[in-house]
Amino acid sequence: MRATQTGDLWWKTAVVYCLDVQTFYDSNGDGIGDFAGLSERLDHLVELGVTVVWLMPFYPTADVDDGYDITDFYTVDPRLGTLGDFVEFMRSARSRGLRVIADLVVNHTSAKHPWFQSSRSSVDSQYRDWYVWRDEPGPEKPGDVVFPDRETSIWTKDRKAGQYYLHRFYRSQPDLNVANPAVRDEIARIIGFWMELGLSGFRVDAVPFLLETSGIEGGAGDLPQPHEYLRDLRAFLGRRSGDAILLGEVNLPFEQARTFFGDEDGDELTMLFDFPTMQAMFLGLAREDAGPIRSALLARPETPGDSQWAVFVRNHDELTLDKLSGAERQEVFTAFGPDEGMQVYGRGLRRRLPTMVGGDGRRVRLAYSLMMSLPGTPTLFYGEEIGMGENLDLPGRMAVRTPMQWQAGEMGGFSTAKNADALCRPFPATPYSPDEVNVVAQRHDPGSLFSFLRERIRCYRECPELGWGALSVLDHDVPAVLAHRCDWRGGTLLLCHNLGSTAATVRLSLPEQPSGARCVDLFDRSTQLAITADGSLEVTLPPYGGRWFRLLTGSSSELV
Ligand code: NOJ
Ligand code: CA
């Protein structure tokens, strides 16, 4: 079983790259990235080795939540181009073997969406029941407000409607009423529309909130069990395209998250972001102790056969630490974002990784090496491949959503606008400005972060054990080191990462190997470590170092 078969379940060995069209590449000099520009820059993604582009929302928007407040689900934000430009982009991506998924944001609309405007205007509107209205504020628990910087309740009274409406996010993002069959039909139409234009699936925004019906008076009776609805959505998608996926945003503890795969049936979300392991990774990096990651991996439920975890270091939101205890969160804050201005919502950081670790390239590489070695599908956020920093002068989460840095200079090769004031967002300052951090400088430099990641990605793609295999966390006596192995169909990978600032040597046990068995270092192929007769192996790791090995036995036919 090799490439011929792993290709069917393409998402299990994919490398996903999230970008915002607006901040990627501006083709017409108006300071705003666009689809025509993105099409011109696809070769960068091909060179890096990513296989799936995840587009953040590109639909017309009131732009209160950076595109996550949509005013029309069926076209492209005119600032980014036209539907024609979108189709050209899709064709260009396909011709390079890239798949495309897009954000599906249907928990809510913008308050400016014509549906909401009609809904609030009259109880007789055909759209009245498309949203969740009540005479008095509905139920609310502590922690329900997602954006506590700007909201104090998830219920707001609309003067025109004379009633309260539900909004899990900003008040300008009223929640759709999924208990209403007409809303469910519309969501299916939206999915169907974009599938016809060639998408391979969706990143589904805020899934637990989408399924939540507790605030809907009487209406929940109309909704099949929430998970039945998710099953329906997945089945509908599958009817439209058999190998399309739903990659869900479900930031819940593992026990609750598994249900969103559809438990053992695997008939709901195809993939879930692994938020718990990401948070444990930051705690581990802060402590220079592999313990938290080890515990997370041991607690992580196995996925049903076709399903998959999406692993990541950073996404476009705050780096949330909400699943850590207060004391643990404080440890990460102290290590990686001590100033209040680096934190947001009391639960996360608004920095990118390189600045968090004080620009220490060893720690940056360690984090990506570790993330990519965890069983799952790696997901990158644009700019991570070159170590972009953030701009803390921008409000909230926008700090990490600055324009892509293609080359040195005031405009960073992002735009030909007249001056930097015309750009949709300003770049970070020195030492993370385009002069210091850019694609052109790194792509031909074998020692660059870009080259490092390109090499890891190539290796990840060659090692289906990482996407498919069974994980074991290995015992040894060095707390700073995480050693794990992934086994699949006769192949074994051994992955070792040292979170500590001093070199470390671990003795690992790989029992029952035939004589002559050895481990080859996949990034230094002249190094082969012998496994002793008693089945043990000694691995030395530099400070903040990560090494990946393949086990070779006499009969191995691997190309190494
Ligand atoms: C989650 C998205 O990742 C975030 O950026 C957005 O603000 C909320 N959902 C609301 O759509
Ligand atoms: Ca433009």
Side-chain angles (χ1 to χ4, degrees):
M1 166 107 166
R2 275 293 180 257
T4 44
Q5 283 153 302
T6 57
D8 274 358
L9 273 55
W10 55 267
W11 56 92
K12 285 182 76 97
T13 49
V15 178
V16 181
Y17 186 98
C18 167
L19 63 86
D20 186 357
V21 177
Q22 183 187 192
T23 53
F24 205 61
Y25 182 59
D26 171 23
S27 72
N28 61 357
D30 66 357
I32 302 169
D34 42 57
F35 273 108
L38 172 56
S39 300
E40 281 182 47
R41 286 290 184 263
L42 285 176
D43 290 322
H44 168 71
L45 305 183
V46 172
E47 189 186 354
L48 181 58
V50 307
T51 62
V52 181
V53 180
W54 152 22
L55 299 175
M56 285 169 63
F58 53 81
Y59 319 96
T61 172
D63 218 8
V64 176
D65 188 10
D66 198 23
Y68 284 89
D69 48 326
I70 295 168
T71 53
D72 181 351
F73 288 94
Y74 293 102
T75 191
V76 168
D77 180 341
R79 297 172 314 144
L80 311 182
T82 62
L83 261 185
D85 295 329
F86 175 84
V87 170
E88 288 293 287
F89 152 71
M90 290 298 296
R91 201 203 85 82
S92 308
R94 195 174 60 241
S95 76
R96 286 165 173 79
L98 291 169
R99 291 178 178 271
V100 181
I101 63 172
D103 244 291
L104 178 71
V105 189
V106 288
N107 170 70
H108 49 270
T109 69
S110 162
K112 294 206 169 127
H113 195 293
W115 301 336
F116 187 71
Q117 288 304 317
S118 172
S119 180
R120 68 195 282 246
S121 68
S122 157
V123 282
D124 298 324
S125 159
Q126 69 168 114
Y127 294 106
R128 186 67 170 193
D129 291 337
W130 281 42
Y131 296 86
V132 184
W133 296 105
R134 295 174 69 116
D135 290 334
E136 297 299 328
E140 185 158 1
K141 304 183 295 302
D144 272 357
V145 174
V146 178
F147 296 136
D149 58 330
R150 299 241 298 268
E151 301 296 346
T152 50
S153 171
I154 57 173
W155 296 93
T156 290
K157 186 158 189 176
D158 182 69
R159 264 183 297 121
K160 196 160 180 186
Q163 281 191 307
Y164 288 82
Y165 64 92
L166 173 69
H167 56 88
R168 301 306 306 240
F169 299 98
Y170 295 124
R171 69 186 61 194
S172 53
Q173 293 167 302
D175 274 34
L176 282 165
N177 175 11
V178 288
N180 181 342
V183 170
R184 299 203 296 275
D185 284 351
E186 190 70 31
I187 292 175
R189 252 191 303 278
I190 295 166
I191 292 176
F193 179 84
W194 293 104
M195 289 307 296
E196 285 301 307
L197 296 186
L199 291 186
S200 292
F202 298 89
R203 177 266 186 188
V204 192
D205 192 63
V207 180
F209 297 138
L210 173 67
L211 300 190
E212 174 74 65
T213 52
S214 64
I216 303 173
E217 253 176 348
D222 215 7
L223 182 69
Q225 287 301 308
H227 284 277
E228 211 172 304
Y229 176 44
L230 202 48
R231 272 196 292 281
D232 285 352
L233 267 188
R234 171 75 183 280
F236 169 77
L237 182 74
R239 287 196 297 278
R240 293 295 168 99
S241 170
D243 69 350
I245 61 153
L246 295 176
L247 163 55
E249 184 200 23
V250 179
N251 178 10
L252 291 174
F254 280 135
E255 318 80 70
Q256 295 166 41
R258 187 165 185 272
T259 322
F260 288 78
F261 283 127
D263 294 316
E264 43 289 332
D265 299 326
D267 52 0
E268 298 183 29
L269 297 172
T270 329
M271 300 213 278
L272 261 69
F273 290 107
D274 186 349
F275 280 95
T277 305
M278 181 279 288
Q279 302 192 30
M281 186 170 86
F282 277 96
L283 183 59
L285 290 170
R287 286 184 180 167
E288 305 202 355
D289 176 6
I293 309 170
R294 202 186 149 80
S295 310
L297 291 175
L298 292 173
R300 192 197 215 200
E302 265 186 42
T303 57
D306 293 0
S307 316
Q308 179 70 308
W309 291 107
V311 289
F312 64 106
V313 168
R314 192 66 178 88
N315 68 12
H316 60 290
D317 286 324
E318 77 279 11
L319 190 160
T320 185
L321 302 165
D322 66 339
K323 299 292 176 284
L324 302 182
S325 71
E328 291 168 340
R329 186 161 44 248
Q330 198 48 53
E331 278 181 72
V332 181
F333 282 169
T334 305
F336 296 142
D339 301 349
E340 221 173 283
M342 299 168 175
Q343 303 161 12
V344 66
Y345 312 134
R347 63 170 183 254
L349 287 168
R350 52 191 212 100
R351 308 186 82 188
R352 283 181 180 252
L353 177 68
T355 60
M356 287 187 225
V357 294
D360 188 337
R362 298 171 306 171
R363 295 184 92 183
V364 172
R365 286 166 172 74
L366 167 72
Y368 290 111
S369 174
L370 174 60
M371 180 271 280
M372 296 197 60
S373 78
L374 300 176
T377 294
T379 304
L380 294 166
F381 180 48
Y382 77 92
E384 286 191 294
E385 72 273 33
I386 52 169
M388 272 169 48
E390 68 283 345
N391 183 343
L392 290 175
D393 293 341
L394 289 167
R397 295 167 294 158
M398 299 311 127
V400 301
R401 302 185 191 176
T402 55
M404 182 67 183
Q405 300 177 189
W406 296 101
Q407 59 188 51
E410 191 194 6
M411 314 302 281
F414 163 71
S415 171
T416 54
K418 273 201 223 67
N419 55 54
D421 295 340
L423 300 186
C424 55
R425 273 178 212 136
F427 291 110
T430 299
Y432 289 92
S433 80
D435 286 347
E436 294 98 6
V437 178
N438 68 67
V439 172
V440 166
Q442 292 195 25
R443 59 194 293 243
H444 300 298
D445 172 2
S448 68
L449 178 61
F450 180 81
S451 298
F452 174 87
L453 273 171
R454 181 176 50 195
E455 187 62 4
R456 295 279 148 168
I457 290 173
R458 187 189 57 68
C459 192
Y460 169 86
R461 294 277 293 159
E462 282 182 9
C463 296
E465 292 86 355
L466 292 171
W468 284 79
L471 165 77
S472 338
V473 181
L474 302 180
D475 290 328
H476 56 79
D477 56 8
V478 184
V481 173
L482 179 77
H484 62 285
R485 64 183 270 183
C486 293
D487 289 275
W488 186 68
R489 305 261 162 126
T492 297
L493 293 183
L494 184 64
L495 303 312
C496 300
H497 292 90
N498 177 13
L499 281 70
S501 59
T502 52
T505 300
V506 285
R507 177 163 287 281
L508 304 171
S509 166
L510 289 179
E512 289 160 33
Q513 303 304 331
S515 82
R518 63 220 184 273
C519 281
V520 58
D521 184 324
L522 293 176
F523 301 104
D524 172 12
R525 296 184 181 228
S526 58
T527 303
Q528 301 207 349
L529 304 181
I531 299 171
T532 59
D534 68 346
S536 73
L537 172 78
E538 209 170 71
V539 179
T540 299
L541 296 156
Y544 302 125
R547 297 177 75 181
W548 296 14
F549 298 94
R550 174 174 289 289
L551 174 65
L552 294 181
T553 56
S555 60
S556 297
S557 61
E558 306 294 336
L559 271 183
V560 287

